[in-house]
Amino acid sequence: MTIEPRPLRIVDFSTHLSGPLASHLLTELGADVVKVENPRTGDGNRGNVPLIRGSGMMHVALNAGARSLAVDRRADDWDQTIAACASWADAVLVGARPKDARKRGMDFETMIKANPELIYVSLSGFGDQGPWKDYTAHGQTIDALAGLVPVADGELQPTTRSGWRTAGTSLGGVFAALGVLAAARRRDQGLGEPQYLSVSLWGAAMWWNWRDLTMLANTGEPWFDYSDIGSRYSLYYTRDRRVMLCAPTERRFWLSFCDILGLPESWKERGDWSGSMENGEGPEFANERAGIAAAMATKDLDDWVPLLEAAEIPFAPVLGIGDALASQHSVENGVMRPTTLAGEPAQIPAIPIKFGSAPEDQILSHLSAPPSIGEHTDEMRRELGLGGGA
């Protein structure tokens, strides 16, 4: 008799971005995720703009496929509910500073009394140690303390163009999901004890700087600025004013690139190839950029693509996100996956992991609609042994 393994059970006590992103990644990988929400407001993502059919975009993207258990922290059976959730779960995600988790009865020590093999993930802005551990974390405040907010002078105040595409809050969710999977593997190998995982969103933002951190720690110098690495790793206009990134930095690519663009024969041997790559930096390459630019401007982008593609030279037309999403490559690789919203078909981004190599393996399953607040409360209370109905 074949016994089907049950999915990982995840109880998500977090709100907003990092925790829900972690639990959503686990949902997409087959976990049974239950969100514990405030019965009045639910997850903070629900009402945040922009809205899609009346629901917050982040709620749609991160909560599809999950179940919602609504419970008030002031309820008489709050502590009993916490214990029941911990007992039911393989892992819990708690998005709070440790001192706040203790106030709410959701701390590690309390939960492991109910489940001595629990995987407990603490998601906090700045971790458990250090002088910033009690800072209130909020979006870009995390990135600002990790060197990820570029500042420019403004007439009245400094400005930044980094917008809301924050690194720490998103990447923290990715690391939390990885941590759960690693801890589950350790448990399944016989580690019969609870596991405490601390995920710092600031630490995740710092890790995003891994190249600069490695260079600074060892040499005192930052890594390259991608805005201008050199003439052989640079952006160029085509005749129709489209933008092309050309990267013939290895010698075999550079030789073919010179032939295709009709660059001077003497340029083929220019540079130092001892490090395997030559970016075209320095005064000895002063006229190279202008020569490449002039050659690229002789043909439209659609003319260059098949030539560079046939020569297998690294290149890329610089697309807007809309063009990338509309591409056939996006369609065939299942960048979006189906769900339902307000009774109609909807799409959300899919994780870039596929199990299997056949084309039919790439067809993504339909995720259930993001739940309404407390949609599964009675169902979950029965599963938790708390009785139907709050």
PDB file of all heavy atoms in Angstrom, residues 6-43:
ATOM      1  N   ARG A   6       1.679  13.630   3.682  1.00  0.00           N
ATOM      2  CA  ARG A   6       0.860  14.821   3.853  1.00  0.00           C
ATOM      3  C   ARG A   6       1.721  16.055   3.598  1.00  0.00           C
ATOM      4  O   ARG A   6       2.951  16.037   3.774  1.00  0.00           O
ATOM      5  CB  ARG A   6       0.252  14.868   5.248  1.00  0.00           C
ATOM      6  CG  ARG A   6       1.240  15.110   6.381  1.00  0.00           C
ATOM      7  CD  ARG A   6       0.501  15.497   7.651  1.00  0.00           C
ATOM      8  NE  ARG A   6       1.375  15.668   8.799  1.00  0.00           N
ATOM      9  CZ  ARG A   6       2.094  16.752   9.033  1.00  0.00           C
ATOM     10  NH1 ARG A   6       2.070  17.749   8.161  1.00  0.00           N
ATOM     11  NH2 ARG A   6       2.843  16.834  10.115  1.00  0.00           N
ATOM     12  N   PRO A   7       1.116  17.150   3.177  1.00  0.00           N
ATOM     13  CA  PRO A   7       1.896  18.365   2.929  1.00  0.00           C
ATOM     14  C   PRO A   7       2.399  18.974   4.237  1.00  0.00           C
ATOM     15  O   PRO A   7       1.868  18.702   5.321  1.00  0.00           O
ATOM     16  CB  PRO A   7       0.888  19.296   2.255  1.00  0.00           C
ATOM     17  CG  PRO A   7      -0.453  18.818   2.722  1.00  0.00           C
ATOM     18  CD  PRO A   7      -0.322  17.329   2.875  1.00  0.00           C
ATOM     19  N   LEU A   8       3.437  19.779   4.114  1.00  0.00           N
ATOM     20  CA  LEU A   8       3.888  20.561   5.264  1.00  0.00           C
ATOM     21  C   LEU A   8       2.751  21.450   5.739  1.00  0.00           C
ATOM     22  O   LEU A   8       2.045  22.059   4.924  1.00  0.00           O
ATOM     23  CB  LEU A   8       5.073  21.444   4.880  1.00  0.00           C
ATOM     24  CG  LEU A   8       6.478  20.854   4.921  1.00  0.00           C
ATOM     25  CD1 LEU A   8       7.468  21.888   4.399  1.00  0.00           C
ATOM     26  CD2 LEU A   8       6.859  20.422   6.326  1.00  0.00           C
ATOM     27  N   ARG A   9       2.588  21.549   7.030  1.00  0.00           N
ATOM     28  CA  ARG A   9       1.554  22.412   7.596  1.00  0.00           C
ATOM     29  C   ARG A   9       2.212  23.683   8.138  1.00  0.00           C
ATOM     30  O   ARG A   9       3.101  23.616   8.986  1.00  0.00           O
ATOM     31  CB  ARG A   9       0.816  21.689   8.718  1.00  0.00           C
ATOM     32  CG  ARG A   9      -0.025  20.505   8.241  1.00  0.00           C
ATOM     33  CD  ARG A   9      -0.579  19.755   9.436  1.00  0.00           C
ATOM     34  NE  ARG A   9      -1.521  18.710   9.043  1.00  0.00           N
ATOM     35  CZ  ARG A   9      -2.049  17.836   9.891  1.00  0.00           C
ATOM     36  NH1 ARG A   9      -1.721  17.897  11.187  1.00  0.00           N
ATOM     37  NH2 ARG A   9      -2.895  16.924   9.474  1.00  0.00           N
ATOM     38  N   ILE A  10       1.769  24.802   7.630  1.00  0.00           N
ATOM     39  CA  ILE A  10       2.345  26.091   8.005  1.00  0.00           C
ATOM     40  C   ILE A  10       1.246  26.966   8.600  1.00  0.00           C
ATOM     41  O   ILE A  10       0.176  27.132   7.997  1.00  0.00           O
ATOM     42  CB  ILE A  10       2.937  26.818   6.773  1.00  0.00           C
ATOM     43  CG1 ILE A  10       3.869  25.893   5.970  1.00  0.00           C
ATOM     44  CG2 ILE A  10       3.635  28.102   7.192  1.00  0.00           C
ATOM     45  CD1 ILE A  10       5.088  25.431   6.706  1.00  0.00           C
ATOM     46  N   VAL A  11       1.499  27.522   9.772  1.00  0.00           N
ATOM     47  CA  VAL A  11       0.597  28.517  10.339  1.00  0.00           C
ATOM     48  C   VAL A  11       1.327  29.857  10.300  1.00  0.00           C
ATOM     49  O   VAL A  11       2.412  30.005  10.869  1.00  0.00           O
ATOM     50  CB  VAL A  11       0.180  28.175  11.780  1.00  0.00           C
ATOM     51  CG1 VAL A  11      -0.687  29.294  12.357  1.00  0.00           C
ATOM     52  CG2 VAL A  11      -0.602  26.863  11.802  1.00  0.00           C
ATOM     53  N   ASP A  12       0.707  30.809   9.622  1.00  0.00           N
ATOM     54  CA  ASP A  12       1.325  32.111   9.396  1.00  0.00           C
ATOM     55  C   ASP A  12       0.630  33.167  10.252  1.00  0.00           C
ATOM     56  O   ASP A  12      -0.511  33.529  10.000  1.00  0.00           O
ATOM     57  CB  ASP A  12       1.222  32.459   7.906  1.00  0.00           C
ATOM     58  CG  ASP A  12       1.956  33.741   7.552  1.00  0.00           C
ATOM     59  OD1 ASP A  12       2.529  34.371   8.458  1.00  0.00           O
ATOM     60  OD2 ASP A  12       1.949  34.109   6.361  1.00  0.00           O
ATOM     61  N   PHE A  13       1.341  33.644  11.272  1.00  0.00           N
ATOM     62  CA  PHE A  13       0.818  34.694  12.140  1.00  0.00           C
ATOM     63  C   PHE A  13       1.269  36.085  11.677  1.00  0.00           C
ATOM     64  O   PHE A  13       1.012  37.065  12.362  1.00  0.00           O
ATOM     65  CB  PHE A  13       1.313  34.482  13.574  1.00  0.00           C
ATOM     66  CG  PHE A  13       0.749  33.278  14.262  1.00  0.00           C
ATOM     67  CD1 PHE A  13       1.451  32.079  14.266  1.00  0.00           C
ATOM     68  CD2 PHE A  13      -0.473  33.323  14.909  1.00  0.00           C
ATOM     69  CE1 PHE A  13       0.950  30.953  14.916  1.00  0.00           C
ATOM     70  CE2 PHE A  13      -0.985  32.208  15.555  1.00  0.00           C
ATOM     71  CZ  PHE A  13      -0.280  31.017  15.557  1.00  0.00           C
ATOM     72  N   SER A  14       1.950  36.171  10.561  1.00  0.00           N
ATOM     73  CA  SER A  14       2.521  37.445  10.117  1.00  0.00           C
ATOM     74  C   SER A  14       1.526  38.228   9.269  1.00  0.00           C
ATOM     75  O   SER A  14       0.469  37.715   8.877  1.00  0.00           O
ATOM     76  CB  SER A  14       3.803  37.190   9.315  1.00  0.00           C
ATOM     77  OG  SER A  14       3.495  36.553   8.082  1.00  0.00           O
ATOM     78  N   THR A  15       1.884  39.463   8.977  1.00  0.00           N
ATOM     79  CA  THR A  15       1.067  40.313   8.111  1.00  0.00           C
ATOM     80  C   THR A  15       1.963  41.038   7.119  1.00  0.00           C
ATOM     81  O   THR A  15       3.183  40.985   7.197  1.00  0.00           O
ATOM     82  CB  THR A  15       0.273  41.358   8.918  1.00  0.00           C
ATOM     83  OG1 THR A  15       1.207  42.244   9.560  1.00  0.00           O
ATOM     84  CG2 THR A  15      -0.613  40.710   9.959  1.00  0.00           C
ATOM     85  N   HIS A  16       1.327  41.696   6.193  1.00  0.00           N
ATOM     86  CA  HIS A  16       1.986  42.552   5.218  1.00  0.00           C
ATOM     87  C   HIS A  16       2.844  41.774   4.225  1.00  0.00           C
ATOM     88  O   HIS A  16       2.292  41.099   3.372  1.00  0.00           O
ATOM     89  CB  HIS A  16       2.754  43.680   5.896  1.00  0.00           C
ATOM     90  CG  HIS A  16       1.845  44.697   6.525  1.00  0.00           C
ATOM     91  ND1 HIS A  16       1.536  44.666   7.875  1.00  0.00           N
ATOM     92  CD2 HIS A  16       1.145  45.721   6.001  1.00  0.00           C
ATOM     93  CE1 HIS A  16       0.685  45.645   8.146  1.00  0.00           C
ATOM     94  NE2 HIS A  16       0.433  46.303   7.020  1.00  0.00           N
ATOM     95  N   LEU A  17       4.163  41.795   4.314  1.00  0.00           N
ATOM     96  CA  LEU A  17       4.937  41.336   3.154  1.00  0.00           C
ATOM     97  C   LEU A  17       5.820  40.114   3.400  1.00  0.00           C
ATOM     98  O   LEU A  17       5.620  39.073   2.784  1.00  0.00           O
ATOM     99  CB  LEU A  17       5.785  42.495   2.627  1.00  0.00           C
ATOM    100  CG  LEU A  17       6.539  42.259   1.321  1.00  0.00           C
ATOM    101  CD1 LEU A  17       5.611  41.775   0.217  1.00  0.00           C
ATOM    102  CD2 LEU A  17       7.231  43.540   0.879  1.00  0.00           C
ATOM    103  N   SER A  18       6.784  40.193   4.306  1.00  0.00           N
ATOM    104  CA  SER A  18       7.810  39.155   4.387  1.00  0.00           C
ATOM    105  C   SER A  18       7.244  37.792   4.763  1.00  0.00           C
ATOM    106  O   SER A  18       7.519  36.788   4.091  1.00  0.00           O
ATOM    107  CB  SER A  18       8.884  39.557   5.398  1.00  0.00           C
ATOM    108  OG  SER A  18       9.441  40.796   5.051  1.00  0.00           O
ATOM    109  N   GLY A  19       6.465  37.726   5.840  1.00  0.00           N
ATOM    110  CA  GLY A  19       5.878  36.453   6.246  1.00  0.00           C
ATOM    111  C   GLY A  19       4.915  35.899   5.223  1.00  0.00           C
ATOM    112  O   GLY A  19       5.007  34.722   4.846  1.00  0.00           O
ATOM    113  N   PRO A  20       3.953  36.713   4.745  1.00  0.00           N
ATOM    114  CA  PRO A  20       3.053  36.220   3.697  1.00  0.00           C
ATOM    115  C   PRO A  20       3.790  35.780   2.438  1.00  0.00           C
ATOM    116  O   PRO A  20       3.377  34.819   1.778  1.00  0.00           O
ATOM    117  CB  PRO A  20       2.144  37.423   3.420  1.00  0.00           C
ATOM    118  CG  PRO A  20       2.082  38.131   4.735  1.00  0.00           C
ATOM    119  CD  PRO A  20       3.480  37.992   5.304  1.00  0.00           C
ATOM    120  N   LEU A  21       4.883  36.464   2.082  1.00  0.00           N
ATOM    121  CA  LEU A  21       5.648  36.025   0.917  1.00  0.00           C
ATOM    122  C   LEU A  21       6.263  34.658   1.179  1.00  0.00           C
ATOM    123  O   LEU A  21       6.238  33.772   0.309  1.00  0.00           O
ATOM    124  CB  LEU A  21       6.729  37.053   0.580  1.00  0.00           C
ATOM    125  CG  LEU A  21       7.410  36.900  -0.789  1.00  0.00           C
ATOM    126  CD1 LEU A  21       7.859  38.260  -1.304  1.00  0.00           C
ATOM    127  CD2 LEU A  21       8.606  35.959  -0.733  1.00  0.00           C
ATOM    128  N   ALA A  22       6.792  34.456   2.391  1.00  0.00           N
ATOM    129  CA  ALA A  22       7.372  33.157   2.746  1.00  0.00           C
ATOM    130  C   ALA A  22       6.321  32.062   2.682  1.00  0.00           C
ATOM    131  O   ALA A  22       6.537  30.988   2.094  1.00  0.00           O
ATOM    132  CB  ALA A  22       7.991  33.217   4.141  1.00  0.00           C
ATOM    133  N   SER A  23       5.163  32.299   3.298  1.00  0.00           N
ATOM    134  CA  SER A  23       4.138  31.255   3.324  1.00  0.00           C
ATOM    135  C   SER A  23       3.578  31.017   1.923  1.00  0.00           C
ATOM    136  O   SER A  23       3.195  29.892   1.582  1.00  0.00           O
ATOM    137  CB  SER A  23       3.020  31.596   4.314  1.00  0.00           C
ATOM    138  OG  SER A  23       2.345  32.781   3.967  1.00  0.00           O
ATOM    139  N   HIS A  24       3.544  32.065   1.090  1.00  0.00           N
ATOM    140  CA  HIS A  24       3.055  31.851  -0.275  1.00  0.00           C
ATOM    141  C   HIS A  24       4.025  30.997  -1.087  1.00  0.00           C
ATOM    142  O   HIS A  24       3.588  30.126  -1.862  1.00  0.00           O
ATOM    143  CB  HIS A  24       2.838  33.186  -0.988  1.00  0.00           C
ATOM    144  CG  HIS A  24       2.301  33.010  -2.378  1.00  0.00           C
ATOM    145  ND1 HIS A  24       1.010  32.594  -2.629  1.00  0.00           N
ATOM    146  CD2 HIS A  24       2.890  33.131  -3.591  1.00  0.00           C
ATOM    147  CE1 HIS A  24       0.829  32.492  -3.935  1.00  0.00           C
ATOM    148  NE2 HIS A  24       1.953  32.804  -4.538  1.00  0.00           N
ATOM    149  N   LEU A  25       5.318  31.230  -0.922  1.00  0.00           N
ATOM    150  CA  LEU A  25       6.285  30.366  -1.608  1.00  0.00           C
ATOM    151  C   LEU A  25       6.083  28.911  -1.191  1.00  0.00           C
ATOM    152  O   LEU A  25       6.133  27.996  -2.029  1.00  0.00           O
ATOM    153  CB  LEU A  25       7.711  30.810  -1.285  1.00  0.00           C
ATOM    154  CG  LEU A  25       8.150  32.175  -1.818  1.00  0.00           C
ATOM    155  CD1 LEU A  25       9.556  32.495  -1.343  1.00  0.00           C
ATOM    156  CD2 LEU A  25       8.077  32.224  -3.338  1.00  0.00           C
ATOM    157  N   LEU A  26       5.835  28.698   0.083  1.00  0.00           N
ATOM    158  CA  LEU A  26       5.608  27.339   0.575  1.00  0.00           C
ATOM    159  C   LEU A  26       4.280  26.784   0.049  1.00  0.00           C
ATOM    160  O   LEU A  26       4.182  25.588  -0.247  1.00  0.00           O
ATOM    161  CB  LEU A  26       5.639  27.329   2.099  1.00  0.00           C
ATOM    162  CG  LEU A  26       7.020  27.666   2.694  1.00  0.00           C
ATOM    163  CD1 LEU A  26       6.910  27.955   4.185  1.00  0.00           C
ATOM    164  CD2 LEU A  26       8.011  26.539   2.436  1.00  0.00           C
ATOM    165  N   THR A  27       3.269  27.642  -0.098  1.00  0.00           N
ATOM    166  CA  THR A  27       2.009  27.216  -0.725  1.00  0.00           C
ATOM    167  C   THR A  27       2.269  26.695  -2.123  1.00  0.00           C
ATOM    168  O   THR A  27       1.787  25.628  -2.519  1.00  0.00           O
ATOM    169  CB  THR A  27       1.005  28.379  -0.781  1.00  0.00           C
ATOM    170  OG1 THR A  27       0.633  28.759   0.539  1.00  0.00           O
ATOM    171  CG2 THR A  27      -0.249  27.993  -1.545  1.00  0.00           C
ATOM    172  N   GLU A  28       3.036  27.465  -2.888  1.00  0.00           N
ATOM    173  CA  GLU A  28       3.312  27.071  -4.272  1.00  0.00           C
ATOM    174  C   GLU A  28       4.110  25.775  -4.337  1.00  0.00           C
ATOM    175  O   GLU A  28       4.046  25.050  -5.340  1.00  0.00           O
ATOM    176  CB  GLU A  28       4.060  28.188  -4.996  1.00  0.00           C
ATOM    177  CG  GLU A  28       3.221  29.428  -5.239  1.00  0.00           C
ATOM    178  CD  GLU A  28       3.471  30.009  -6.611  1.00  0.00           C
ATOM    179  OE1 GLU A  28       3.218  29.310  -7.601  1.00  0.00           O
ATOM    180  OE2 GLU A  28       3.933  31.154  -6.685  1.00  0.00           O
ATOM    181  N   LEU A  29       4.844  25.469  -3.290  1.00  0.00           N
ATOM    182  CA  LEU A  29       5.610  24.228  -3.244  1.00  0.00           C
ATOM    183  C   LEU A  29       4.833  23.087  -2.590  1.00  0.00           C
ATOM    184  O   LEU A  29       5.388  22.034  -2.310  1.00  0.00           O
ATOM    185  CB  LEU A  29       6.927  24.461  -2.500  1.00  0.00           C
ATOM    186  CG  LEU A  29       7.930  25.364  -3.236  1.00  0.00           C
ATOM    187  CD1 LEU A  29       9.096  25.722  -2.329  1.00  0.00           C
ATOM    188  CD2 LEU A  29       8.438  24.697  -4.512  1.00  0.00           C
ATOM    189  N   GLY A  30       3.531  23.317  -2.340  1.00  0.00           N
ATOM    190  CA  GLY A  30       2.667  22.235  -1.898  1.00  0.00           C
ATOM    191  C   GLY A  30       2.264  22.246  -0.448  1.00  0.00           C
ATOM    192  O   GLY A  30       1.584  21.326   0.011  1.00  0.00           O
ATOM    193  N   ALA A  31       2.661  23.256   0.328  1.00  0.00           N
ATOM    194  CA  ALA A  31       2.328  23.301   1.751  1.00  0.00           C
ATOM    195  C   ALA A  31       0.864  23.675   1.961  1.00  0.00           C
ATOM    196  O   ALA A  31       0.235  24.324   1.129  1.00  0.00           O
ATOM    197  CB  ALA A  31       3.226  24.292   2.475  1.00  0.00           C
ATOM    198  N   ASP A  32       0.333  23.258   3.097  1.00  0.00           N
ATOM    199  CA  ASP A  32      -1.004  23.638   3.546  1.00  0.00           C
ATOM    200  C   ASP A  32      -0.815  24.831   4.482  1.00  0.00           C
ATOM    201  O   ASP A  32      -0.330  24.687   5.603  1.00  0.00           O
ATOM    202  CB  ASP A  32      -1.661  22.466   4.278  1.00  0.00           C
ATOM    203  CG  ASP A  32      -3.081  22.763   4.753  1.00  0.00           C
ATOM    204  OD1 ASP A  32      -3.583  23.884   4.508  1.00  0.00           O
ATOM    205  OD2 ASP A  32      -3.685  21.875   5.385  1.00  0.00           O
ATOM    206  N   VAL A  33      -1.181  26.016   4.015  1.00  0.00           N
ATOM    207  CA  VAL A  33      -0.910  27.246   4.759  1.00  0.00           C
ATOM    208  C   VAL A  33      -2.203  27.798   5.346  1.00  0.00           C
ATOM    209  O   VAL A  33      -3.206  27.959   4.643  1.00  0.00           O
ATOM    210  CB  VAL A  33      -0.254  28.306   3.854  1.00  0.00           C
ATOM    211  CG1 VAL A  33      -0.192  29.665   4.554  1.00  0.00           C
ATOM    212  CG2 VAL A  33       1.145  27.862   3.443  1.00  0.00           C
ATOM    213  N   VAL A  34      -2.142  28.088   6.629  1.00  0.00           N
ATOM    214  CA  VAL A  34      -3.266  28.714   7.326  1.00  0.00           C
ATOM    215  C   VAL A  34      -2.800  30.062   7.857  1.00  0.00           C
ATOM    216  O   VAL A  34      -1.806  30.148   8.589  1.00  0.00           O
ATOM    217  CB  VAL A  34      -3.771  27.833   8.490  1.00  0.00           C
ATOM    218  CG1 VAL A  34      -4.857  28.565   9.283  1.00  0.00           C
ATOM    219  CG2 VAL A  34      -4.283  26.510   7.966  1.00  0.00           C
ATOM    220  N   LYS A  35      -3.505  31.102   7.487  1.00  0.00           N
ATOM    221  CA  LYS A  35      -3.218  32.442   7.985  1.00  0.00           C
ATOM    222  C   LYS A  35      -4.088  32.713   9.205  1.00  0.00           C
ATOM    223  O   LYS A  35      -5.305  32.530   9.139  1.00  0.00           O
ATOM    224  CB  LYS A  35      -3.512  33.492   6.915  1.00  0.00           C
ATOM    225  CG  LYS A  35      -2.651  33.388   5.671  1.00  0.00           C
ATOM    226  CD  LYS A  35      -2.976  34.482   4.687  1.00  0.00           C
ATOM    227  CE  LYS A  35      -2.712  35.857   5.268  1.00  0.00           C
ATOM    228  NZ  LYS A  35      -1.275  36.109   5.533  1.00  0.00           N
ATOM    229  N   VAL A  36      -3.477  33.138  10.281  1.00  0.00           N
ATOM    230  CA  VAL A  36      -4.228  33.550  11.464  1.00  0.00           C
ATOM    231  C   VAL A  36      -4.388  35.065  11.391  1.00  0.00           C
ATOM    232  O   VAL A  36      -3.395  35.801  11.398  1.00  0.00           O
ATOM    233  CB  VAL A  36      -3.518  33.132  12.760  1.00  0.00           C
ATOM    234  CG1 VAL A  36      -4.297  33.625  13.974  1.00  0.00           C
ATOM    235  CG2 VAL A  36      -3.361  31.612  12.810  1.00  0.00           C
ATOM    236  N   GLU A  37      -5.632  35.519  11.293  1.00  0.00           N
ATOM    237  CA  GLU A  37      -5.879  36.932  11.017  1.00  0.00           C
ATOM    238  C   GLU A  37      -6.790  37.577  12.054  1.00  0.00           C
ATOM    239  O   GLU A  37      -7.632  36.920  12.673  1.00  0.00           O
ATOM    240  CB  GLU A  37      -6.523  37.091   9.638  1.00  0.00           C
ATOM    241  CG  GLU A  37      -5.700  36.549   8.489  1.00  0.00           C
ATOM    242  CD  GLU A  37      -6.288  36.937   7.145  1.00  0.00           C
ATOM    243  OE1 GLU A  37      -6.027  38.063   6.691  1.00  0.00           O
ATOM    244  OE2 GLU A  37      -7.035  36.128   6.566  1.00  0.00           O
ATOM    245  N   ASN A  38      -6.617  38.877  12.182  1.00  0.00           N
ATOM    246  CA  ASN A  38      -7.520  39.678  12.992  1.00  0.00           C
ATOM    247  C   ASN A  38      -8.906  39.659  12.342  1.00  0.00           C
ATOM    248  O   ASN A  38      -9.024  39.927  11.143  1.00  0.00           O
ATOM    249  CB  ASN A  38      -6.985  41.119  13.067  1.00  0.00           C
ATOM    250  CG  ASN A  38      -7.831  42.020  13.930  1.00  0.00           C
ATOM    251  OD1 ASN A  38      -9.014  42.211  13.665  1.00  0.00           O
ATOM    252  ND2 ASN A  38      -7.220  42.590  14.944  1.00  0.00           N
ATOM    253  N   PRO A  39      -9.977  39.346  13.092  1.00  0.00           N
ATOM    254  CA  PRO A  39     -11.296  39.226  12.473  1.00  0.00           C
ATOM    255  C   PRO A  39     -11.853  40.544  11.950  1.00  0.00           C
ATOM    256  O   PRO A  39     -12.796  40.537  11.142  1.00  0.00           O
ATOM    257  CB  PRO A  39     -12.173  38.666  13.601  1.00  0.00           C
ATOM    258  CG  PRO A  39     -11.451  39.010  14.861  1.00  0.00           C
ATOM    259  CD  PRO A  39      -9.999  38.990  14.524  1.00  0.00           C
ATOM    260  N   ARG A  40     -11.293  41.668  12.362  1.00  0.00           N
ATOM    261  CA  ARG A  40     -11.803  42.960  11.901  1.00  0.00           C
ATOM    262  C   ARG A  40     -11.053  43.477  10.674  1.00  0.00           C
ATOM    263  O   ARG A  40     -11.666  43.948   9.721  1.00  0.00           O
ATOM    264  CB  ARG A  40     -11.700  43.990  13.032  1.00  0.00           C
ATOM    265  CG  ARG A  40     -12.606  43.681  14.217  1.00  0.00           C
ATOM    266  CD  ARG A  40     -12.397  44.653  15.369  1.00  0.00           C
ATOM    267  NE  ARG A  40     -11.022  44.621  15.885  1.00  0.00           N
ATOM    268  CZ  ARG A  40     -10.561  43.675  16.710  1.00  0.00           C
ATOM    269  NH1 ARG A  40     -11.364  42.684  17.100  1.00  0.00           N
ATOM    270  NH2 ARG A  40      -9.320  43.707  17.135  1.00  0.00           N
ATOM    271  N   THR A  41      -9.743  43.379  10.686  1.00  0.00           N
ATOM    272  CA  THR A  41      -8.955  43.971   9.597  1.00  0.00           C
ATOM    273  C   THR A  41      -8.240  42.938   8.735  1.00  0.00           C
ATOM    274  O   THR A  41      -7.858  43.239   7.599  1.00  0.00           O
ATOM    275  CB  THR A  41      -7.893  44.923  10.179  1.00  0.00           C
ATOM    276  OG1 THR A  41      -7.040  44.184  11.072  1.00  0.00           O
ATOM    277  CG2 THR A  41      -8.557  46.063  10.945  1.00  0.00           C
ATOM    278  N   GLY A  42      -8.038  41.740   9.269  1.00  0.00           N
ATOM    279  CA  GLY A  42      -7.323  40.724   8.510  1.00  0.00           C
ATOM    280  C   GLY A  42      -5.864  41.101   8.297  1.00  0.00           C
ATOM    281  O   GLY A  42      -5.293  41.943   8.988  1.00  0.00           O
ATOM    282  N   ASP A  43      -5.260  40.464   7.330  1.00  0.00           N
ATOM    283  CA  ASP A  43      -3.898  40.766   6.928  1.00  0.00           C
ATOM    284  C   ASP A  43      -3.843  42.228   6.463  1.00  0.00           C
ATOM    285  O   ASP A  43      -4.721  42.690   5.746  1.00  0.00           O
ATOM    286  CB  ASP A  43      -3.489  39.821   5.791  1.00  0.00           C
ATOM    287  CG  ASP A  43      -2.031  39.946   5.386  1.00  0.00           C
ATOM    288  OD1 ASP A  43      -1.484  41.056   5.446  1.00  0.00           O
ATOM    289  OD2 ASP A  43      -1.440  38.927   5.002  1.00  0.00           O
TER     290      ASP A  43
END
